[in-house]
Amino acid sequence: MPSVAVLAADGFETIECLTMVDVMRRGGVRATLVSIMPTREVVSSLQIPVTCDALFDEINFDEYDCVVLPGGLPGTHNLEASPAVQGCIDSCVEQGKLVAAICAAPSILAHKGLLAGKNATAFPSFQKDLEEGGALLSESYVVRDGQFLTARGMGVATQFGLALAAALVSEEKAAEIRASIQWEG
């Protein structure tokens, strides 16, 4: 069974984060919502408290096929400021695993130089970070280039989740989920 760790920090964008968990679980993917904070409870940018499945230190990321970085502010900054998250990203990249980021979070990958020469996208106010990091900015709302999947923001969270399902399971499973949720995007 494919598996995804969705990292959550205080200030995350609720829909970008929880949509990934929802779509992955609908697709039969083991999706774990992981708090990088000292407690399992994280608070979204809109002050919505969410209880995560596990703390960061409780997870063996070698058992996961993908790490998802939700956007939101200051959530993205909290993810980027975490040495543990930085190490997790590095390990995933070294192992050739899929790394997915949405909204402001692709800027984390760009700041690390991981998107240089890659097609990518981000929330419009963060696209300059991608360009400065050498990314080839795409007009698409969701972009996969190699082991990186990036998306613009909350409005395309379902499309992002379906692209992730297609990458981890199959196009057929993504189509099945799309039909079951009545999404035509």
Side-chain angles (χ1 to χ4, degrees):
M1 170 189 299
S3 55
V4 173
V6 180
L7 305 185
D10 283 345
F12 69 95
E13 166 40 59
T14 316
I15 291 173
E16 294 167 2
C17 183
L18 297 182
T19 299
M20 294 311 98
V21 175
D22 183 290
V23 172
M24 292 300 95
R25 290 182 181 174
R26 287 174 191 268
V29 174
R30 179 176 61 125
T32 305
L33 185 57
V34 181
S35 170
I36 73 154
M37 307 311 293
T39 67
R40 286 187 184 206
E41 185 174 282
V42 292
V43 180
S44 78
S45 60
L46 295 175
Q47 303 305 303
I48 300 169
V50 173
T51 302
C52 293
D53 301 311
L55 294 172
F56 189 91
D57 292 341
E58 297 172 337
I59 298 296
N60 177 356
F61 288 95
D62 290 339
E63 296 175 0
Y64 287 82
D65 301 306
C66 175
V67 169
V68 177
L69 307 172
L73 294 175
T76 295
H77 298 309
N78 290 333
L79 289 173
E80 188 164 22
S82 167
V85 171
Q86 292 287 337
C88 178
I89 293 168
D90 292 341
S91 178
C92 286
V93 170
E94 289 168 11
Q95 295 177 50
K97 294 181 179 182
L98 189 61
V99 179
I102 185 169
C103 192
S107 67
I108 298 169
L109 305 177
H111 295 155
K112 294 176 74 58
L114 298 173
L115 298 180
K118 302 276 186 191
N119 293 297
T121 194
F123 192 78
S125 61
F126 285 86
Q127 290 177 352
K128 67 182 178 331
D129 294 271
L130 272 62
E131 288 180 313
E132 290 169 3
L136 307 172
L137 202 56
S138 173
E139 293 297 317
S140 297
Y141 289 106
V142 178
V143 179
R144 179 161 183 205
D145 193 336
Q147 71 186 107
F148 299 103
L149 179 66
T150 57
R152 288 217 184 157
M154 182 188 83
V156 297
T158 301
Q159 185 179 351
F160 180 59
L162 292 169
L164 189 55
L168 292 173
V169 183
S170 68
E171 290 286 344
E172 294 78 19
K173 179 53 82 174
E176 181 183 309
I177 298 166
R178 182 181 294 112
S180 75
I181 63 174
Q182 301 295 295
W183 188 74
E184 293 190 25

